Amino acid sequence: MDEVRWVQVQTRDSAADGMFWYSVATTGVYCRPSCPSRPARREHVAFHTSVAAAEAAGFRACLRCNPAGAPPATANVALVAAACRTIEQAETPPSLAVLAAEAKLSPTYFHRVFSSIVGITPKAYIDAQRAARVRAALDEGCGVTEAIYRAGFNSGSRFYAKSTAALGMTPSRFRARGAQETLRFAVADCALGSVLVAASAVGVAAILLGDDPEALVRDLQQRFGQAELIGGDPGFEAMVAKVIGLIAAPAQRHDLPLDIRGTAFQHAVWQALQRIPPGQTATYADIAAAVGRPRAIRAVAGACAANPLAVAVPCHRVIRQDGTMSGYRWGVERKRRLLTREAETKA
C-alpha cells in the first residue's frame, strides 16, 4: 500500500488528496499527495491516514499545499464559481484584473484556472452572459436598442459588430420569431414515416420527422408563430423531393440551401455535426472538444436535441462514449436506421 502511495506522491496525483497525507522527516512538514514541492527521498517519507495523525506525530502543515485545508481543485472551483456569479450579477462586465483580485490570484493564473474549469476564457464567458441577457430581453418583448443597453453594451455598434455570432442571427430577426416572413411548407411520406419541410426566402428552415403529420404542423406553428405559413405550393415540390431523397440516402451530399436559426453555441455545434463524414460517428465529448468547449458535453447534447434540420444537420451521427445509441429527437429507431443506411452505403 505504501509503495502505491509513494507512486502517487511522485506523480503528484490530485485524485489521492484526502485519502492520505505524507510527512518528510528532514523538513518536519506534512503534505497532501499533489504538493508541488520537490519530492523528498523515499527513506525520509512516512504516510498518515489523517491530518490529525500527521500532527500527532509532530509534523506541521506545508505552507505550499495547505494540507489541512480544502484541496486546491476544490478551492479553485469555489473561486471560479464566485467569479461566475460576479459576472452574472454585474451591471457592467468586470475586467480580468477585478475578477483576479477578488479571487486573490494573479490575472494570468486566474485566467488559466478559469479556462481549465469552465472550458472557455473569462472574456468568452462574459460575452456569453451578455448575449444571454440580450436574448432574454428580446424574448420579453424589449426593443432591440433597449435590450442591447440592458445587457451592458455601451453602444449599439459594438453589439451589432458581433450580433450574428452572439445570437446566430440579427437581433431584429431573433426578436421577430418569423414576423413579416413567409414560410412555405409541405408534409410528405418518407422512408422514416412523415416529414415536414419548411423554407424561408433564405433556405430550408425546418426538417421535422414523426408519425403524426398534424403534430409536425403544430410543431412548425410553435416555432414560427409570427410567420405566414403557406402550404401546398406546387413550386415547393422540388425542394421537398430533395429532402425525401436525402432521408432515403443520408450518406449523399446535398445542395439544399439552409436557413439555420439558433444561438452562437448551437451554430458551432451544428457546424461540427456537418463535418462528421457519412458512415462515421462522434461522441458528445468529441463535438464539445471540436467547438472548443471540452467540458460542455451536456450543452452539446442540448444543442443536438434542438436541431431543427433532421438529416441535413446530421445529429444522428452522435453516439454515447461507450458506442451505444443515445437519445434522438425523432426516435432512436430512426437514428439506428439512418446510421445503418449510411454504413451500408459506405461499404
Side-chain angles (χ1 to χ4, degrees):
M1 175 63 74
D2 282 355
E3 293 314 308
V4 172
R5 290 173 173 171
W6 175 238
V7 171
Q8 291 174 308
V9 169
Q10 289 180 305
T11 58
R12 298 186 174 93
D13 185 359
S14 60
D17 287 349
M19 298 175 62
F20 68 90
W21 290 258
Y22 73 93
S23 59
V24 181
T26 53
T27 61
V29 303
Y30 70 95
C31 306
R32 64 176 77 251
S34 64
C35 182
S37 299
R38 186 172 62 183
R41 294 174 63 176
R42 176 65 183 88
E43 60 266 27
H44 298 150
V45 172
F47 299 101
H48 310 275
T49 57
S50 67
V51 166
E55 293 180 348
F59 295 95
R60 65 185 186 278
C62 171
L63 297 178
R64 292 198 66 181
C65 68
N66 186 25
T74 301
N76 286 341
V77 168
L79 290 175
V80 169
C84 289
R85 286 194 297 271
T86 297
I87 292 170
E88 293 160 8
Q89 296 169 4
E91 291 187 8
T92 57
S95 67
L96 176 63
V98 168
L99 294 171
E102 289 184 357
K104 298 182 179 179
L105 299 173
S106 72
T108 301
Y109 184 63
F110 172 80
H111 188 281
R112 184 163 65 248
V113 169
F114 188 101
S115 300
S116 66
I117 292 174
V118 180
I120 57 176
T121 65
K123 184 180 184 304
Y125 190 83
I126 290 171
D127 288 344
Q129 289 300 312
R130 295 167 85 185
R133 290 184 185 183
V134 173
R135 288 194 295 269
L138 293 173
D139 282 337
E140 292 171 5
C142 289
V144 172
T145 300
E146 181 184 353
I148 290 171
Y149 282 97
R150 277 177 56 174
F153 287 92
N154 295 325
S155 69
S157 60
R158 293 186 63 187
F159 176 76
Y160 275 101
K162 58 179 69 177
S163 62
T164 301
L167 300 177
M169 62 191 78
T170 63
S172 58
R173 192 175 182 210
F174 182 95
R175 182 177 179 234
R177 300 297 187 193
Q180 299 182 347
E181 280 193 89
T182 298
L183 268 71
R184 295 181 296 166
F185 78 95
V187 180
D189 294 329
C190 70
L192 297 179
S194 295
V195 59
L196 183 149
V197 182
S200 67
V202 176
V204 178
I207 300 174
L208 311 178
L209 299 173
D211 298 313
D212 183 354
E214 292 184 2
L216 296 179
V217 174
R218 288 195 298 270
D219 189 352
L220 180 69
Q221 290 171 332
Q222 290 176 352
R223 289 173 177 276
F224 300 96
Q226 304 282 343
E228 179 184 5
L229 303 178
I230 298 177
D233 181 355
F236 193 52
E237 292 179 358
M239 185 170 288
V240 175
K242 284 187 176 182
V243 172
I244 292 174
L246 179 62
I247 293 171
Q252 68 176 308
R253 293 185 178 274
H254 70 83
D255 58 356
L256 291 167
L258 301 180
D259 182 0
I260 304 178
R261 309 185 186 202
T263 66
F265 180 76
Q266 288 172 333
H267 269 234
V269 170
W270 298 339
Q271 288 170 4
L273 296 178
Q274 292 177 81
R275 291 193 292 270
I276 304 173
Q280 297 184 25
T281 58
T283 66
Y284 293 108
D286 292 334
I287 302 300
V291 300
R293 297 278 300 277
R295 296 175 181 269
I297 296 174
R298 298 181 78 175
V300 166
C304 290
N307 170 31
L309 291 159
V311 189
V313 175
C315 55
H316 62 275
R317 294 175 188 160
V318 183
I319 60 175
R320 292 195 180 99
Q321 194 72 34
D322 61 5
T324 60
M325 292 283 179
S326 56
Y328 184 53
R329 174 178 187 160
W330 293 285
V332 174
E333 180 55 32
R334 287 189 176 90
K335 179 173 187 171
R336 182 176 291 108
R337 289 169 66 182
L338 286 168
L339 290 174
T340 299
R341 289 180 183 212
E342 290 190 356
E344 291 173 349
T345 302
K346 184 181 177 183

